């Protein structure tokens, strides 16, 4: 009878540890998702961002400098399982438009977010 009691106690402890581990594992992604807020477009620029029409791994930022000073920007892609990438730096004088592009590695899940960086 002692053996049966010990087995039940071990099972109960293991079940409790599994539930606690699952609770912690589920709580972490929710916190991480809330912390990742998209960055705002730099002041003075008006930009359109998106994925390439036939390639979900290539993203772009097409911007126009509506300000009165020269500005530099680049596109930043959040690439899922692959490392994030930055596009070429583009410098625009007032009134000029330009585009920065970048490409996520093909091993990942593709583009998750597109940001314009100053």
């Amino acid at each position: 009878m002692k053996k049966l009691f010990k087995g039940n106690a071990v099972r109960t402890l293991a079940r409790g540890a599994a539930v606690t581990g699952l609770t912690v594992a589920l709580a972490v992604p929710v916190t991480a998702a809330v912390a990742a807020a998209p960055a705002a477009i730099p002041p003075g620029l008006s930009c359109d961002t998106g994925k390439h029409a036939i390639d979900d791994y290539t993203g772009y930022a097409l911007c126009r400098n509506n300000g009165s000073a020269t500005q530099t920007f680049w596109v930043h892609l959040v690439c899922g399982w692959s490392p994030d990438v930055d596009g070429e730096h583009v410098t625009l004088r007032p009134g000029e438009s330009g585009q920065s592009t970048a490409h996520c590695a093909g091993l990942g899940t593709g583009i998750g977010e597109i940001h314009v960086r100053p």
Side-chain angles (χ1 to χ4, degrees):
M1 185 87 166
K2 281 187 179 181
K3 266 189 165 176
L4 181 62
F5 178 72
K6 281 185 178 180
N8 287 338
V10 171
R11 243 182 270 127
T12 302
L13 286 174
R15 193 175 302 136
V19 169
T20 301
L22 180 60
T23 302
V24 171
L26 291 174
V28 171
V30 171
T31 304
V34 172
I41 294 174
L45 292 177
S46 91
C47 301
D48 291 319
T49 61
K51 295 179 185 178
H52 190 277
I54 58 173
D55 180 6
D56 284 340
Y57 290 85
T58 300
Y60 66 87
L62 175 61
C63 297
R64 177 175 173 77
N65 183 351
N66 294 324
S68 58
T70 300
Q71 293 199 50
T72 300
F73 76 94
W74 61 93
V75 68
H76 174 80
L77 304 180
V78 177
C79 296
W81 292 11
S82 296
D84 296 351
V85 292
D86 289 330
E88 65 277 3
H89 291 210
V90 178
T91 301
L92 301 175
R93 292 188 298 251
E96 288 185 331
S97 295
Q99 179 173 305
S100 175
T101 60
H103 186 79
C104 291
L107 299 175
T109 55
I111 299 171
E113 294 179 13
I114 302 173
H115 301 274
V116 178
R117 298 281 168 91

